[in-house]
Amino acid sequence: MLVQTNKLKATTENVMQVLSAVTDPEIPVLSIIDLGIVRDVIINNDEVEIIITATYSGCPAMDMIAMNIRLAMMENGFSKIKITTALAPAWTTDWMSEDGKRKLKEYGIAAPDKNFNIATDGVECPQCHSTNTKLLSEFGSTACKALYQCNNCREPFDYFKCH
Amino acid sequence: MSFLIDYTLHLADSNLILAQRNAEWCGHGPILEQDIAITNISLDLLGQSRNMYQYAATLMGNGATEDTLAYLRTEREFKNCLLVEQPNGDWGQTVLRQFLYSTFQQLLYQQLQKNTDEQLAAIAAKALKEIAYHVRWSSEWVIRLGDGTVESHQRMLHAIDELWRYTGEMFIPADYENSFGVNVTALKDEWMQKVTSVFEEATLPIPEKIFMQTGGKTGVHTEHLGYILTELQYLQRAYPGAEW
C-alpha cells in the first residue's frame, strides 16, 4: 500500500503545526501543545528532534503520545525524527494554554484554577457553573484530575488539578 | 559509579515494591473513590521508579533496561527498605505504611532535588509534586481511623505494632548512601516531628524505643519480598523476553 504523504519543509513552524494536531489520548480535546508538554523543537538539517516532558511521572499516556507524534510526523513526510523526554524543569499546569483551558471546560472538565491550588470544595461546575460543589477525592480517573460533584445540578465532574 | 548505580536502584526498588503492594488493592478498595486513590498513588510511585530504573540502566550499559532491572533481578539484589514490602493487612495498615513512607520520601526528595547528580535531582523535583498528594491523603486517613471508632482505633494500634519496627532502617545509611546520597540520619528528627503531630491528632501513641529491623537496603529481606517478586516477575520468568 502506498502511504500518501504531504511533504512539509523542516521548519519549527511546520513541525509545531503538525504537533498541534496530536492530541492527548485521555483528553482528546487537548493537543499536546495546549497541554504544554512539547518543550522544544530542534532542527538539524533534515533531522527533527522533539523534546517532550511528562505531566506526571507515571502518566501512562506518554508512550502513546510519543508514538502518535512519530506517526503524525511521518504522515507529513518527516523521516528523521528523534523524540527526547526531558524531566527538568518539571511540568506545570502553568504551561497549559488559555485556549486549552477553554476547550477543557467545553468538554466538561473544570480547568486548573489558581484559587484551588490544593483541591477543595467550590471549584466551578463545568455544566451549570455553580460553585456549590464538593470535592469527592483528590484522585480521579487519571493522575491529573480530581473528582467532584456539583451540589446544584448533582452532576459529577473532573477537575484538572493545578500542578 | 557503582555507588551511584546502587543508590539509584535502592530508590527505584523502594518505589516499585510499594507500587506493587498498593496495586494489590486494585478492585478491592473499601469504596470506589479510595480504590482509585490507592491505585493512583501506585501509578505515581511506578512512574518515579521507571525514571530511576531508566537512569540506572543508562549508567550500567551492557544491555540493561528498566525491564531487566525490574523483572530479572533476584531477591538479594533488591535494595528496597523493609517497610514497603510488608503486607497490606487491612486498610489501616496500608494507609499507615503509606503515611510513614511518604513522610520520609518527601523529606528525602527535598534534599535529593539539590543533589549534584542532575538526573536524580530532576526525578526528585518532579516526584515531589506527586508526593505532596500522598502525604496529605495518607495523613488524613491515619487521623480519620486513629481518631475514629473503637474498632478503627484498635486496628491502627495493631498496624503500628506491625510496622513501626521497620521504620528505623530508613535512617541508617547503607554504604552506597554514604558517598554522595542524602544524609538520611539527618532526616530523622523532622520525620519524627511530622509523624508525632499526625499521631497526636489521631490520638495514637508513638511506640517506646523498640528493636528496629534492618537489612532491606543491602538485600536481606523479610520473607514477603520473595512472594512479591514471584508475582511481579512471573511473566518474564515464564516467557523470557515476552513483549506485546
Side-chain angles (χ1 to χ4, degrees):
Chain A
M1 198 184 88
L2 242 162
V3 181
Q4 202 72 37
T5 58
N6 314 310
K7 287 240 174 200
L8 278 180
K9 220 173 156 251
T11 64
T12 309
E13 207 169 55
N14 282 342
V15 173
M16 290 302 272
Q17 179 97 35
V18 173
L19 296 180
S20 64
V22 178
T23 56
D24 178 342
E26 303 268 15
I27 311 167
V29 287
L30 287 189
S31 78
I32 55 176
I33 304 290
D34 292 329
L35 267 170
I37 63 182
V38 174
R39 301 315 305 153
D40 207 355
V41 171
I42 299 165
I43 295 171
N44 208 339
N45 294 325
D46 54 346
E47 192 199 64
V48 180
E49 182 179 8
I50 297 163
I51 297 168
I52 57 174
T53 189
T55 51
Y56 285 67
S57 301
C59 178
M62 285 312 290
D63 291 339
M64 196 169 171
I65 288 172
M67 194 179 73
N68 289 344
I69 290 175
R70 197 169 285 281
L71 286 175
M73 291 292 287
M74 284 163 72
E75 276 170 19
N76 285 284
F78 295 98
S79 54
K80 286 191 193 164
I81 309 147
K82 187 175 166 197
I83 299 169
T84 310
T85 306
L87 287 166
W91 178 81
T92 161
T93 37
D94 295 346
W95 296 342
M96 188 186 282
S97 68
E98 286 309 311
D99 200 36
K101 287 181 188 167
R102 182 184 54 76
K103 284 191 255 179
L104 260 187
K105 281 184 210 165
E106 284 169 13
Y107 188 61
I109 297 173
D113 178 346
K114 284 277 180 212
N115 298 317
F116 297 92
N117 260 335
I118 292 176
T120 48
D121 293 352
V123 167
E124 185 184 302
C125 170
Q127 311 290 342
C128 74
H129 308 293
S130 166
T131 52
N132 180 16
T133 61
K134 184 176 155 48
L135 171 71
L136 296 181
S137 173
E138 277 196 284
F139 300 90
S141 56
T142 64
C144 51
K145 288 176 275 173
L147 191 61
Y148 277 78
Q149 185 171 23
C150 178
N151 294 326
N152 187 41
C153 70
R154 308 303 295 168
E155 282 287 327
F157 65 93
D158 276 332
Y159 165 56
F160 200 116
K161 292 180 280 198
C162 285
H163 196 68
Chain B
M1 179 60 94
S2 106
F3 275 166
L4 176 57
I5 292 169
D6 283 350
Y7 186 51
T8 308
L9 288 174
H10 154 65
L11 297 169
D13 290 342
S14 284
N15 275 11
L16 176 71
I17 298 303
L18 188 54
Q20 178 75 4
R21 273 296 190 216
N22 285 346
E24 289 172 19
W25 276 105
C26 188
H28 301 277
I31 55 168
L32 184 62
E33 286 79 2
Q34 298 306 327
D35 191 298
I36 292 169
I38 192 83
T39 44
N40 256 285
I41 293 171
S42 175
L43 189 62
D44 287 340
L45 292 167
L46 182 67
Q48 295 160 15
S49 76
R50 283 188 63 189
N51 285 337
M52 305 267 189
Y53 284 131
Q54 285 165 7
Y55 181 46
T58 322
L59 295 171
M60 291 164 86
N62 272 333
T65 67
E66 54 175 328
D67 285 341
T68 64
L69 293 174
Y71 293 131
L72 299 177
R73 282 184 307 140
T74 59
E75 198 180 338
R76 287 299 298 269
E77 294 171 279
F78 268 75
K79 296 169 180 56
N80 59 278
C81 42
L82 299 171
L83 176 68
V84 297
E85 69 198 39
Q86 299 312 307
N88 286 346
D90 55 19
W91 186 250
Q93 197 167 316
T94 293
V95 296
L96 181 67
R97 185 184 60 201
Q98 191 64 50
F99 168 68
L100 297 172
Y101 181 71
S102 294
T103 306
F104 171 73
Q105 201 195 3
Q106 190 171 46
L107 295 170
L108 178 68
Y109 282 32
Q110 277 165 358
Q111 297 307 314
L112 192 60
Q113 68 174 341
K114 301 179 210 156
N115 201 280
T116 49
D117 186 283
E118 284 179 11
Q119 189 68 5
L120 285 183
I123 294 170
K126 186 163 186 63
L128 276 169
K129 293 180 155 205
E130 295 147 17
I131 297 167
Y133 283 99
H134 308 169
V135 170
R136 204 156 55 230
W137 176 87
S138 58
S139 304
E140 284 168 7
W141 265 110
V142 168
I143 293 164
R144 184 175 301 135
L145 294 179
D147 191 23
T149 64
V150 173
E151 173 76 18
S152 72
H153 183 79
Q154 201 58 41
R155 283 178 182 242
M156 289 310 283
L157 292 178
H158 176 73
I160 293 170
D161 240 13
E162 290 290 320
L163 297 176
W164 195 260
R165 77 193 71 157
Y166 300 110
T167 56
E169 182 194 31
M170 300 191 289
F171 307 100
I172 303 169
D175 280 352
Y176 51 78
E177 286 177 280
N178 276 326
S179 50
F180 73 95
V182 171
N183 176 357
V184 284
T185 314
L187 305 178
K188 192 174 179 180
D189 287 348
E190 201 177 346
W191 179 84
M192 190 60 93
Q193 275 170 22
K194 285 177 187 274
V195 170
T196 304
S197 98
V198 169
F199 271 29
E200 272 172 8
E201 205 177 333
T203 69
L204 292 169
I206 295 280
E208 295 295 313
K209 230 177 164 43
I210 60 165
F211 178 74
M212 290 292 181
Q213 298 284 350
T214 56
K217 289 176 167 188
T218 50
V220 183
H221 293 276
T222 58
E223 67 189 278
H224 307 294
L225 185 67
Y227 292 95
I228 298 173
L229 294 182
T230 303
E231 193 172 347
L232 188 142
Q233 300 183 335
Y234 172 80
L235 193 99
Q236 285 302 326
R237 298 290 189 189
Y239 304 96
E243 282 184 54
W244 70 91

